[in-house]
Amino acid sequence: MSVKIYCDAGGFREELYQLQRTGVIDLMFFPYDNKMDREHELAPASAVTWNDCHLRWNEIDSAWDDLKASDKYESIRKIIGRPRRDALHIDSAFKAGCRAFLTRDKKDILTKARELEELLDIKFLHTDEQWGDFLALLGA
């Protein structure tokens, strides 16, 4: 059974694609920052505005009203602070049921990993520096 993993725009590395192709992970992402040009599943959107959504209408398979934030979104925003799109990515990971969130964002996300992990039951890991921890989480 594959594990759902969210990887923000700056956190991708080639090994993730191989893990997805072999069925170890389901790589989730929502294009808040840029267009989707990688192999991944579309994560549920959170509190999205049209300016946040780098998709065409026919690429959205939900009603606009279904793209609301989760009940954890405001708590995420309080922990994260000003970087709104970081909170959107994190809430999308929560809505998707992800087990881990990979990023290289030390400043806004990883410095708050412990609080976010307690709130969401998602492991927040640096894509490069904690790659071994990520593989251990997968049992790989």
Side-chain angles (χ1 to χ4, degrees):
M1 187 164 131
S2 62
V3 178
K4 289 185 179 181
I5 304 299
Y6 194 99
C7 189
D8 71 8
F12 285 97
R13 61 187 274 171
E14 287 298 316
E15 293 91 336
L16 291 170
Y17 306 128
Q18 181 61 30
L19 290 169
Q20 178 162 295
R21 281 186 221 105
T22 58
V24 175
I25 65 171
D26 287 328
L27 188 56
M28 310 292 291
F29 178 74
F30 191 88
Y32 295 111
D33 304 304
N34 50 22
K35 291 182 102 36
M36 297 181 347
D37 59 351
R38 297 176 170 101
E39 298 174 37
H40 60 274
E41 286 187 49
L42 187 63
S46 171
V48 71
T49 67
W50 191 247
N51 288 336
D52 297 320
C53 188
H54 295 276
L55 296 170
R56 294 183 294 266
W57 281 111
N58 64 346
E59 294 174 311
I60 300 173
D61 61 359
S62 301
W64 194 253
D65 286 342
D66 294 336
L67 307 178
K68 296 177 184 172
S70 77
D71 61 343
K72 302 285 188 186
Y73 178 71
E74 287 306 319
S75 297
I76 294 167
R77 289 278 317 253
K78 286 178 185 169
I79 293 169
I80 291 295
R82 292 193 52 84
R84 179 177 172 274
R85 288 197 177 164
D86 288 345
L88 296 176
H89 282 293
I90 293 166
D91 198 40
S92 284
F94 174 72
K95 288 177 68 174
C98 291
R99 188 159 169 219
F101 188 105
L102 296 176
T103 185
R104 289 186 176 102
D105 185 339
K106 291 181 182 181
K107 179 183 170 196
D108 299 313
I109 296 177
L110 293 171
T111 58
K112 298 160 180 106
R114 182 171 292 166
E115 290 174 87
L116 292 167
E117 289 171 3
E118 289 175 9
L119 175 68
L120 305 171
D121 196 29
I122 296 172
K123 189 73 177 161
F124 288 79
L125 299 164
H126 189 282
T127 302
D128 304 313
E129 295 172 8
Q130 295 176 296
W131 184 252
D133 295 334
F134 172 64
L135 293 176
L137 178 80
L138 298 177

